[in-house]
Amino acid sequence: MESTKLKQKTEVNNGPWFIAVERFGRKNGEAWSKYIEDTGLSQIEELVSLDTMLCPPVFSEIRDDYWPHIVNEDYYGHFFTDLKFLRDQLAEADSKEARLLCVFRNPHELPKLSPELRSFRFLGFDLVEAASGVSALSNCGGWPELKNEELSKWGLITDLNRVLELQKELPRAHPEEPHANCNVWAIFAETN
């Protein structure tokens, strides 16, 4: 009985969570061109990330009516636990350009989505520092341990074993660098 409660709590705490982020890609013109030039990530067609600087959340301010529908943990208040509520907020804000994501924090295997989430498809894994919201994959200026070509057209790593390896390797190799201490995020994007 106790292990069931713990398992349920863990699942609730780590996903699925939902977030609407601003898109970052070719449509961003000069900002996108500069990003590609600075990073050398020419294979990226659109960055899909939880990086709060490059793909900021559409709803970064927490309104009072959000509290029953969001993750109530430090740094994670812009993640929603109620997809319908988030969709309603997007419709109200007329945020047609937002990218709607379904995410799981620190998965040990590729999460399986329930049938009601069939409009989402898996894009890959991101490594994001909890305190700053900076992606170690797409916004840290590169790491000797990570080759640019390991990132997909979305700026993500598609292999869970590889991203888990990097999650352990980066803080060991760069103990002075706070951006090396990251959560792994499985990212699914809505395709409708």
Side-chain angles (χ1 to χ4, degrees):
M1 177 84 166
E2 189 64 36
S3 64
T4 304
K5 284 182 182 177
L6 181 61
K7 183 177 180 192
Q8 288 173 342
K9 184 176 180 184
T10 301
E11 288 171 357
V12 168
N13 286 341
N14 290 322
W17 295 348
F18 306 94
I19 186 169
V21 298
E22 292 181 21
R23 292 178 181 256
F24 187 49
R26 289 186 176 101
K27 289 182 180 179
N28 295 91
E30 191 175 320
W32 178 254
S33 298
K34 181 161 177 32
Y35 172 76
I36 296 300
E37 181 183 321
D38 290 349
T39 62
L41 297 170
S42 58
Q43 78 276 22
I44 298 180
E45 295 175 12
E46 177 188 345
L47 182 64
V48 179
S49 177
L50 295 178
D51 186 289
T52 56
M53 291 172 25
L54 298 172
C55 299
V58 172
F59 302 111
S60 56
E61 291 186 35
I62 300 172
R63 296 186 341 205
D64 287 344
D65 60 328
Y66 287 7
W67 286 108
H69 309 282
I70 62 173
V71 175
N72 290 295
E73 287 185 36
D74 288 343
Y75 308 113
Y76 299 110
H78 48 274
F79 290 94
F80 289 76
T81 56
D82 183 333
L83 179 58
K84 182 186 179 321
F85 182 82
L86 177 56
R87 286 187 199 281
D88 291 346
Q89 299 311 301
L90 285 169
E92 186 180 300
D94 198 25
S95 295
K96 294 177 184 141
E97 289 298 313
R99 182 168 279 287
L100 186 55
L101 304 177
C102 172
V103 300
F104 295 80
R105 180 179 61 180
N106 294 320
H108 298 292
E109 59 187 20
L110 180 62
K112 298 201 182 340
L113 298 184
S114 61
E116 59 269 10
L117 299 177
R118 66 184 165 273
S119 64
F120 291 87
R121 74 178 175 113
F122 177 69
L123 297 186
F125 299 96
D126 202 353
L127 274 175
V128 180
E129 183 193 4
S132 70
V134 170
S135 172
L137 300 182
S138 57
N139 196 10
C140 281
W143 306 93
E145 297 78 12
L146 176 66
K147 295 178 178 64
N148 277 359
E149 55 271 11
E150 290 186 79
L151 301 186
S152 71
K153 67 180 184 176
W154 307 109
L156 302 170
I157 291 180
T158 57
D159 181 85
L160 178 60
N161 290 329
R162 177 61 177 138
V163 80
L164 290 173
E165 181 182 291
L166 283 168
Q167 183 187 34
K168 290 177 185 168
E169 190 177 331
L170 292 179
R172 274 195 299 245
H174 308 279
E176 73 294 343
E177 177 54 63
H179 297 319
N181 295 301
C182 297
N183 287 311
V184 170
W185 291 89
I187 297 182
F188 295 78
E190 187 162 56
T191 56
N192 291 358

